[in-house]
């Protein structure tokens, strides 16, 4: 069974069909890239999967369960997390607090804060996540003081702290130096051992190196799907996207 499947997923904004009839499936052990020109519907697709937007029609199945139209909190509880195209951290909290708050929302809700053992459990989880995203030495630094690349990785850490089965990354390397991009690719590979990853990315080198398969969106429709080698040679994809 695929971990995620969409059936005829569509969303309209007034007269604009941002997604039309998207049939999509991803396997549990996959890193899947979603590419396409600006405005193709990539972020909108993530917004539908994560309950930020309600699709106009169609269904979203997660582990076979229909999650279409559930709130983003419910979907997070079920195990889908995402990072945003624009960084979404709490700048005036420390690195550790940012991750701790996310871990807490997943595990116990807010009321459990008073229980010391639960709190210790959450701190241990947050610390493990900081290790995974290589930010342990920045735990007590205010998030605002981290470099851009560190902030983007912190955002991945915040998503991981909710213990997802499926992680949606929206342009995780945007604005990064080539060294930071390289580190983030290593990070994505590392975390992909334990969860399914959907990654929206404009950097084709990153896409071709990371993804097992690629889905190309164009005007809200799936234009092509295949391995990196297949996509690089697909005439339709070259025409609308890779050539430009
Ligand atoms: N909340 C919204 N209300 C109205 N229109 C929207 C909304 N969100 C997205 N759109 C429109 O839907 C289309 C798809 O946008 P989306 O952000 O999904 O594109 P994208 O593929 O992520 O592009 P980019 O590569 O630039 O991030 C665009 O035409 C956009 O203007
Ligand atoms: Mg986008």
């Amino acid at each position: 069974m695929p971990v995620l499947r969409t059936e005829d997923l569509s969303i309209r904004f007034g007269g604009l069909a941002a997604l039309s009839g998207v049939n999509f499936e991803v396997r549990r052990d996959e890193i899947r890239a979603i590419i396409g020109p600006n405005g193709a519907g990539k972020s909108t697709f993530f917004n539908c999967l994560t309950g930020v937007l309600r699709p106009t029609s169609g269904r979203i199945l997660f582990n076979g369960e229909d999650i279409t139209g559930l709130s983003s909190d419910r979907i997070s509880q079920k195990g889908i997390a995402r990072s945003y195209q624009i960084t979404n951290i709490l700048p005036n909290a420390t690195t550790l607090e940012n991750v701790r708050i996310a871990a807490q929302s997943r595990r116990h809700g807010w009321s459990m804060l008073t229980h010391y053992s639960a709190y210790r459990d959450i701190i241990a989880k947050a610390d493990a996540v900081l290790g995974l995203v290589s930010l342990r030495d920045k735990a007590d630094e205010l998030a605002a003081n981290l470099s851009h690349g560190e902030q983007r990785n912190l955002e991945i850490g915040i998503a991981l702290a909710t213990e997802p089965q499926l992680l949606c990354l929206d342009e995780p390397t945007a604005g990064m130096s080539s060294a930071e991009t390289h580190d983030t690719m290593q990070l994505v590979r590392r975390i992909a051992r334990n969860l399914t990853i959907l990654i929206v990315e404009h950097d084709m080198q990153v896409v071709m190196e990371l993804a097992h398969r690629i889905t190309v969106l164009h005007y809200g429709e799936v234009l092509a799907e295949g391995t990196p080698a297949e996509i690089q040679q697909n005439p339709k994809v070259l025409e609308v996207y890779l050539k430009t």
Side-chain angles (χ1 to χ4, degrees), residues 42-44 85 170-171 200 202:
K42 305 178 299 293
S43 296
T44 301
Q85 189 166 354
D170 201 346
E171 303 194 25
V200 167
H202 281 292

Side-chain angles (χ1 to χ4, degrees), residues 187-233:
L187 167 62
V188 171
R189 281 206 189 90
R190 222 160 42 231
I191 60 184
R193 290 184 201 132
N194 298 311
L195 47 84
T196 314
I197 294 196
L198 302 185
I199 180 169
V200 167
E201 182 58 66
H202 281 292
D203 183 331
M204 281 308 116
Q205 200 179 338
V206 171
V207 167
M208 297 302 166
E209 280 180 36
L210 267 185
H212 300 121
R213 294 180 68 78
I214 299 171
T215 300
V216 185
L217 284 183
H218 184 51
Y219 288 119
E221 295 183 17
V222 176
L223 180 78
E225 201 165 272
T227 62
E230 288 165 352
I231 292 300
Q232 275 171 304
Q233 290 159 13

Side-chain angles (χ1 to χ4, degrees), residues 11-14 16-19 34-47 53 85 170-171 200-202 217 219-220 241:
I11 184 166
R12 303 187 66 88
F13 300 114
L16 175 79
L19 293 173
I34 298 171
I35 66 172
N38 293 117
K42 305 178 299 293
S43 296
T44 301
F45 185 60
F46 278 4
N47 285 335
L53 291 172
Q85 189 166 354
D170 201 346
E171 303 194 25
V200 167
E201 182 58 66
H202 281 292
L217 284 183
Y219 288 119
Y241 188 51

